[in-house]
């Protein structure tokens, strides 16, 4: 039998065990200023203080010393559109205007599989350069957009979730499927890709406004038939969208109720935005086990509104951070944390730096039902991690040198840092060499 391939990484180490909440619960995280992360065959074998772990770790395993840098689990982006890599930083008065003028035209190009593969490669590079190792990703209506994405993700050994968008009405004719065609394509994609390598399929109705009753019924039917498959959509992002959905589904109590009636609320279901919900919706979302993707750069860029952290907490809702590129204005989860902090400020609420880093790592894994594999360092979890350099720029070095506590350092990083501070990204213990 081959001996297990082991390596050790030294540096400051931070990871979470649970939600720090509003009080920065000290039991919610582990931090070692001089820590060690020991890997065996791409998985975590042990984590803890270097002084205790390294002498005891037998054998002549290579030790990679990251010095003062901070090792943490890779970021998890719970909602992002890969076909919108070329739409980021387009104008648009609001969501519906932006969809019509920028997004739908860009998505039409994904009828061409070669184009889709080229964008998927660029997109994955960009995620990894930003320290994001897992994402829940929308493709376009074209089946091959998802095939090309999964192919590119599998080549890199990444844990990724993706699905083709279902759209059978209220969209351009050449971006339209039908309930029957959409279901056939989903079944083929689930059969071929779900559970293969580190890939997962998500049933992805774009949003209630672009699917007929028949298509939402079909999505609910598949969600019941394949309980391990994910569900992924948008919900209550803007006031105009909410009013439109209410017109399209006059019998539903609320926008959320549309998804509920079609059996689309359950664990492993993620709804992006969740801004315009009432207390009943939030209670129902929490009870169903579905979660919300909080996408602050998108909500501010498109002028959609402010995600209410306090109301979500009060209802016991699950939520985690997301970039929502291309409505979102950055691939960086650090930039996303910074904007999330400002959204909380505008509502007179609080998002502590510790909680922001939790929402960018373990919270995503928990919401996606993947916390036994990613999002934290525990023996047996997959070694997807990043190394953050608090000295990456002159300003970062100057400011972080003056931080006295971990919380102060994290606030400096999330406020000032971006992809320049991601010194390295590891996937299953392998350093990613990025263009
Ligand atoms: N709602 C429906 N489609 C989209 C989309 O592509 N982006 C965002 N942010 N919201 C949506
Ligand atoms: Zn989105």
């Amino acid at each position: 039998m081959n001996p297990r391939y082991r390596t050790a990484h030294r540096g400051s180490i931070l990871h979470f065990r649970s939600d720090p909440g509003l009080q920065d619960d000290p039991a919610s995280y582990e931090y070692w200023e001089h820590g060690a992360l020991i890997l065996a065959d791409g998985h975590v074998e042990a984590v803890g203080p270097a002084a205790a772990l390294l002498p005891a770790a037998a054998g002549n395993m290579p030790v990679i010393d990251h010095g003062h840098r901070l090792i943490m689990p890779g970021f998890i982006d719970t909602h992002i559109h890969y076909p919108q890599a070329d739409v980021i930083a387009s104008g648009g008065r609001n969501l519906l205007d932006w969809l019509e003028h920028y997004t739908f035209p860009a998505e039409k190009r994904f009828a061409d599989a070669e184009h889709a593969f080229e964008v998927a490669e660029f997109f994955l590079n960009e995620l990894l350069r930003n320290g994001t190792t897992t994402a829940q990703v929308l493709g376009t209506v074209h089946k091959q957009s998802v095939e090309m994405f999964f192919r590119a993700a599998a080549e890199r050994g990444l844990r990724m979730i993706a699905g083709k968008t279902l759209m059978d009405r209220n969209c351009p004719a050449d971006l339209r499927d039908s309930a029957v065609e959409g279901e056939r394509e989903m079944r083929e994609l689930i059969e071929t890709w779900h559970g293969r390598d580190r890939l997962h399929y998500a049933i992805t109705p774009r949003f209630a406004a672009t699917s007929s009753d028949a298509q939402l019924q079909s999505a609910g039917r598949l969600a019941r038939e394949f309980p391990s498959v994910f569900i992924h959509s948008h919900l209550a992002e803007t006031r105009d969208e909410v009013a439109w959905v209410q017109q399209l589904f006059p019998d539903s109590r609320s926008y959320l109720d549309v998804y509920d009636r079609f059996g689309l609320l359950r664990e492993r279901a993620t709804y992006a935005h969740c801004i315009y919900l009432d207390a009943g919706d939030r209670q129902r979302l929490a009870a169903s086990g579905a979660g919300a993707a909080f996408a602050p750069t998108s909500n501010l860029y498109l002028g959609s509104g402010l995600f209410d952290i306090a109301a979500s907490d009060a209802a016991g809702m699950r939520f985690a951070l997301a970039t929502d590129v291309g409505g979102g204005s950055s691939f960086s989860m650090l930039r996303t944390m910074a904007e999330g902090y400002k959204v909380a400020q505008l509502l007179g609420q609080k998002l502590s730096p510790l909680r922001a880093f939790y929402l960018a790592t373990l919270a995503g894994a928990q919401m996606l039902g993947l916390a036994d594999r990613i999002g934290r360092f525990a023996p047996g979890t997959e070694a997807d991690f990043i190394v953050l350099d608090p000295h990456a720029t002159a300003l970062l070095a100057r400011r972080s040198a003056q931080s006295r506590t971990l919380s102060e350092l994290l606030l400096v990083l999330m406020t000032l840092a971006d992809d320049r501070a991601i010194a390295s990204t590891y996937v299953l213990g392998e350093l990613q060499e990025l263009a």
Side-chain angles (χ1 to χ4, degrees):
M1 217 177 87
N2 284 337
R4 280 151 64 82
Y5 178 65
R6 298 165 82 218
T7 50
H9 292 261
R10 289 182 79 124
S12 296
I13 298 183
L14 170 68
H15 79 134
F16 292 88
R17 296 148 56 102
S18 59
D19 185 352
L22 292 179
Q23 310 297 331
D24 282 348
D25 176 3
S28 67
Y29 65 96
E30 290 183 304
Y31 174 66
W32 300 278
E33 194 176 344
H34 301 285
L37 178 66
I38 298 180
L39 312 179
D41 297 334
H43 290 69
V44 174
E45 183 181 285
V47 65
L53 275 188
L54 285 183
N60 52 353
M61 91 187 131
V63 178
I64 300 157
D65 191 347
H66 298 283
H68 60 269
R69 298 189 179 104
L70 183 61
I71 300 169
M72 65 172 63
F75 295 132
I76 297 173
D77 188 340
T78 61
H79 174 83
I80 183 165
H81 303 246
Y82 100 84
Q84 295 176 16
D86 290 332
V87 180
I88 190 168
S90 300
R93 282 179 294 117
N94 55 47
L95 168 68
L96 300 177
D97 177 71
W98 170 86
L99 281 175
E100 180 185 343
H101 290 106
Y102 302 102
T103 307
F104 288 155
E107 292 192 7
K108 288 180 189 178
R109 297 187 63 196
F110 287 72
D112 173 1
E114 231 173 87
H115 174 70
F117 191 70
E118 190 273 326
V119 177
E121 295 252 272
F122 174 84
F123 173 88
L124 290 173
N125 241 359
E126 200 59 23
L127 284 190
L128 293 170
R129 277 192 339 94
N130 280 281
T132 299
T133 48
T134 288
Q136 182 163 235
V137 179
L138 292 95
T140 62
V141 72
H142 312 96
K143 182 185 172 203
Q144 66 269 29
S145 74
V146 175
E147 291 170 328
M148 293 301 110
F149 177 78
F150 277 149
R151 222 178 84 189
E155 279 175 10
R156 293 156 194 255
L158 294 169
R159 188 165 287 293
M160 287 282 158
I161 304 156
K164 87 168 217 104
T165 52
L166 300 169
M167 290 204 276
D168 69 347
R169 65 167 171 169
N170 295 322
C171 63
D174 44 356
L175 282 180
R176 209 171 288 171
D177 58 6
S178 67
V180 170
E181 189 189 357
E183 179 162 333
R184 182 175 45 76
E185 292 183 337
M186 277 194 291
R187 285 184 183 282
E188 289 165 1
L189 286 166
I190 290 169
E191 204 160 285
T192 311
W193 295 100
H194 184 64
R196 174 165 160 187
D197 300 322
R198 302 176 78 199
L199 306 173
H200 310 265
Y201 193 78
I203 297 166
T204 312
R206 184 179 203 115
F207 63 153
T210 43
S211 285
S212 64
D213 280 29
Q215 185 158 67
L216 292 171
Q217 251 158 24
S218 147
R221 191 162 53 240
L222 261 67
R224 271 188 304 280
E225 188 177 330
F226 299 100
S228 68
V229 159
F230 292 69
I231 300 170
H232 187 198
S233 191
H234 296 92
L235 169 64
E237 179 177 3
T238 73
R239 290 185 200 281
D240 290 350
E241 171 212 11
V242 173
W244 188 26
V245 169
Q246 201 65 69
Q247 255 176 28
L248 293 169
F249 298 91
D251 297 336
S252 286
R253 189 196 75 79
S254 66
Y255 190 163
L256 179 83
D257 188 45
V258 176
Y259 295 128
D260 202 1
R261 285 174 178 222
F262 288 105
L264 292 168
L265 293 188
R266 63 151 163 75
E267 294 200 347
R268 274 182 307 288
T270 301
Y271 288 91
H273 310 303
C274 296
I275 294 172
Y276 300 101
L277 300 182
D278 62 21
D281 289 332
R282 287 195 176 89
Q283 296 286 350
R284 175 66 194 123
L285 200 58
S288 74
F294 171 26
T297 77
S298 170
N299 298 157
L300 296 173
Y301 190 76
L302 294 175
S304 303
L306 305 175
F307 179 82
D308 193 330
I309 293 175
S312 305
D313 277 339
M317 260 171 62
R318 297 178 179 192
F319 59 96
L321 278 167
T323 63
D324 190 29
V325 164
S329 53
S330 174
F331 277 83
S332 168
M333 292 295 278
L334 292 162
R335 308 303 331 119
T336 304
M337 288 180 230
E339 300 308 287
Y341 181 92
K342 294 173 198 171
V343 165
Q345 290 282 68
L346 281 170
L347 290 173
Q349 300 177 4
K350 184 180 156 197
L351 177 58
S352 76
L354 273 165
R355 197 174 195 206
F357 276 82
Y358 161 74
L359 290 175
T361 54
L362 180 59
Q366 289 172 327
M367 189 169 89
L368 298 167
L370 295 172
D372 56 336
R373 305 186 201 186
I374 56 169
R376 67 196 172 109
F377 296 138
T381 56
E382 297 165 348
D384 291 352
F385 64 98
I386 58 176
V387 182
L388 269 165
D389 184 2
H391 295 182
T393 69
L395 177 60
L396 266 176
R398 187 180 176 93
R399 187 60 188 84
S400 63
Q402 295 172 59
S403 59
R404 287 155 306 165
T405 63
L406 173 63
S407 286
E408 284 183 16
L409 174 66
L410 295 178
L411 184 57
V412 168
L413 281 170
M414 66 185 255
T415 307
L416 300 176
D418 53 27
D419 51 323
R420 291 170 295 177
I422 308 297
S424 28
T425 302
Y426 289 82
V427 173
L428 290 178
E430 296 285 330
L431 177 65
Q432 301 298 292
E433 305 284 356
L434 302 169

